[in-house]
Amino acid sequence: MLNVVIFGAPGSGKGTQSELIEKKYGLVHLSTGDILRAEIAKGSEIGKLADGLISKGHFIPDDLMIRILNAHLDMYPTANGFIFDGFPRTLTQAEALDTMLKNRNLKVSLMLNIDVDTNELVKRLLNRGKTSGRSDDNLQTIHERIQVYETKTLPVIQFYDRQKKHHRIKGTGTMEEVFERICNEIDSVNR
Ligand code: AP5
Ligand code: MG
């Protein structure tokens, strides 16, 4: 089993790289952002709550997010492994992920931290905003997302540092170049 946490600021390329990892390694891609956007599209109660929070760049409460992820883990009993994209985003979520995996005799194999500077993040997200239709791809919300990332999410790096699972990836260059760096790190732990 290979369980990858793909980590990074908004716009760092988590979704893009997750799709490439999914294809090459045959893992199940769980993106909490995609899960929430699907709930919004369905018009569910979760979707109604998520809609307002996402468009402001704020997080969905930990307890709800953890319950949603736990339910999604149960949907794939025969998975070869998972890519966790956009989860964990807080220390509470990081601890919960360890517990949820432990309960299934699983663990995080490695955490890939895609490192991209703020100017480039803003540029990428504004550019995506021209076509994405995402309510959070506008300048004001982009700044809020980056600020929330810095205050609430950055401490998660130390959590994986302490477990010796943190692998920093230079996130600039072409998508293919970033993917090659990622594969090198995955292959170094997955032999
Ligand atoms: P989520 O959907 O996870 O959004 P995010 O973290 O803000 O990140 P993005 O999806 O915008 O960027 P990405 O890193 O996936 O980059 P991408 O590959 O798309 O979360 C959205 C919201 O949901 C949160 O703000 C929160 O409200 C809520 N939420 C989600 N999870 C939660 C949780 N666990 N707890 C609480 N709340 C939660 O790439 C970005 C752009 O750059 C694309 O246009 C892409 O084509 C381009 N690009 C990619 N790679 C490159 C490259 N190498 N060079 C140039 N361009 C590139
Ligand atoms: Mg994404």
Side-chain angles (χ1 to χ4, degrees):
M1 276 289 253
L2 175 66
N3 294 306
V4 180
V5 170
I6 188 132
F7 183 93
S12 57
K14 299 184 294 296
T16 304
Q17 295 299 326
S18 291
E19 282 177 29
L20 298 171
I21 299 170
E22 182 182 10
K23 278 200 206 98
K24 177 163 175 178
Y25 295 93
L27 308 179
V28 172
H29 175 201
L30 291 182
S31 157
T32 44
D34 288 350
I35 291 168
L36 294 169
R37 283 184 287 275
E39 292 293 330
I40 295 172
K42 275 194 282 183
S44 68
E45 286 306 312
I46 291 174
K48 283 178 201 151
L49 171 74
D51 200 9
L53 292 169
I54 289 180
S55 62
K56 290 197 201 77
H58 297 160
F59 284 173
I60 277 62
D62 281 335
D63 55 343
L64 176 60
M65 208 61 249
I66 290 163
R67 264 187 283 139
I68 293 172
L69 194 87
N70 197 45
H72 277 263
L73 278 174
D74 284 336
M75 289 178 194
Y76 305 94
T78 60
N80 283 325
F82 294 93
I83 308 163
F84 298 100
D85 163 6
F87 189 102
R89 264 178 145 94
T90 62
L91 273 179
T92 304
Q93 293 182 15
E95 282 157 7
L97 180 61
D98 273 4
T99 305
M100 285 186 273
L101 292 177
K102 203 170 170 202
N103 290 340
R104 294 168 173 83
N105 280 321
L106 304 174
K107 59 180 168 48
V108 170
S109 311
L110 79 170
M111 179 272 232
L112 298 163
N113 173 13
I114 312 180
D115 195 14
V116 174
D117 68 75
T118 307
N119 286 343
E120 171 76 11
L121 295 172
V122 174
K123 202 175 84 186
R124 286 185 189 181
L125 292 174
L126 281 178
N127 189 43
R128 190 180 63 187
K130 291 177 198 158
T131 55
S132 68
R134 273 179 58 163
S135 64
D136 55 353
D137 281 347
N138 59 76
L139 195 56
Q140 194 184 348
T141 308
I142 290 167
H143 281 304
E144 183 65 22
R145 285 156 73 195
I146 292 173
Q147 201 175 352
V148 170
Y149 168 79
E150 287 174 352
T151 53
K152 295 196 176 166
T153 308
L154 274 181
V156 172
I157 295 177
Q158 284 141 37
F159 179 88
Y160 289 106
D161 251 339
R162 282 196 293 275
Q163 297 189 2
K164 310 244 182 302
K165 290 180 180 173
H166 169 218
H167 298 246
R168 190 178 296 276
I169 304 283
K170 183 175 163 235
T172 47
T174 65
M175 292 172 198
E176 293 77 15
E177 283 165 348
V178 177
F179 186 54
E180 197 183 322
R181 293 175 200 136
I182 284 182
C183 293
N184 287 338
E185 296 303 313
I186 292 179
D187 295 341
S188 74
V189 303
N190 186 43
R191 270 178 304 202

